[in-house]
Amino acid sequence: MKKLILSALLLLGAAGFAAAEKADSYKPTEINYGRLDADDVKQVYTFTGDVTLTRGTLRMKADKAVVTYTPDGYQLATLTGGGKKVTFRQKRDGEGDQWMEGEADRIEYDEKGELVKMYSKAKIRRLEGSKPSDEVEGEFISYDSRREFFSVRNTSTGNDKPGAGRGTMVIQPKRTAPPPAGTTQPPAAPAAGD
């Protein structure tokens, strides 16, 4: 049972990239699923049937989640959607109401390498409240949480192939637009000592 809870915590950590809310790692995990098959001999745990994992601000949804332990004690997690997208959403650390959310047909997480791989029609976006900010799309997105480095490839295998699909990145401006012509600016506050 202890390994099962650790597996669930790992799955939640898989989506915790991009400056995730640090407090989430200390919150209890709730797993809601239709069925669980646990093979303690092979160290494979399979959750199926509208799986929802929640811990703090993090929420992941998949049709199926499989966690496997390696001989050296690390965990490999694979989340699939069964025809639907695997999704996650998590609050980011820092001020304001900033969130990260993403989706793909399949997400894999390697605990030892702290590497997240998103396969087929992958998308990650940052939100400020409910307003979308920056967004990246591609057939494959890999995120190395140790180095805070991500890469996007044009095939769902993670390899680049000439003539295959193309990715898209939308970067929102970080500055605000000037007021329209003919509007007045509020008067500047007097300087200290005036």
Side-chain angles (χ1 to χ4, degrees):
M1 186 63 174
K2 194 179 223 180
K3 286 185 178 180
L4 188 60
I5 292 169
L6 289 173
S7 298
L9 291 171
L10 166 69
L11 288 172
L12 290 171
F17 56 93
E21 179 85 11
K22 289 181 182 134
D24 284 351
S25 60
Y26 301 104
K27 303 270 172 89
T29 301
E30 180 179 316
I31 307 167
N32 187 303
Y33 55 88
R35 179 176 163 175
L36 168 63
D37 292 313
D39 186 335
D40 281 333
V41 174
K42 293 182 180 177
Q43 297 292 290
V44 176
Y45 302 90
T46 305
F47 302 89
T48 56
D50 195 22
V51 180
T52 302
L53 298 104
T54 305
R55 181 177 64 189
T57 66
L58 177 62
R59 183 179 193 100
M60 294 180 71
K61 293 184 138 223
D63 187 56
K64 182 177 181 181
V66 178
V67 176
T68 306
Y69 286 88
T70 64
D72 53 351
Y74 289 98
Q75 300 163 346
L76 304 171
T78 302
L79 294 94
T80 55
K84 299 181 285 186
K85 294 290 184 189
V86 177
T87 63
F88 74 89
R89 178 178 168 90
Q90 184 171 32
K91 189 170 186 324
R92 297 180 69 213
D93 253 346
E95 293 185 28
D97 190 21
Q98 296 186 28
W99 295 81
M100 288 298 290
E101 64 180 23
E103 62 184 43
D105 289 345
R106 183 175 91 233
I107 295 176
E108 293 180 359
Y109 178 71
D110 174 353
E111 178 190 23
K112 186 174 185 176
E114 294 184 31
L115 188 63
V116 177
K117 295 179 180 179
M118 300 174 70
Y119 295 87
S120 296
K121 300 175 185 78
K123 183 186 294 186
I124 297 176
R125 65 191 143 268
R126 184 171 48 221
L127 300 163
E128 294 179 17
S130 60
K131 179 184 171 195
S133 184
D134 304 332
E135 183 175 302
V136 175
E137 288 183 44
E139 280 300 303
F140 173 85
I141 299 174
S142 175
Y143 179 75
D144 181 331
S145 61
R146 287 184 182 158
R147 297 186 309 146
E148 294 188 15
F149 177 84
F150 74 91
S151 59
V152 182
R153 299 295 181 252
N154 67 358
T155 67
S156 59
T157 63
N159 298 316
D160 280 322
K161 182 178 176 184
R166 297 179 52 83
T168 302
M169 184 171 192
V170 177
I171 303 171
Q172 299 296 329
K174 302 295 182 214
R175 60 190 186 289
T176 58
T183 60
T184 57
Q185 293 277 351
D194 283 348

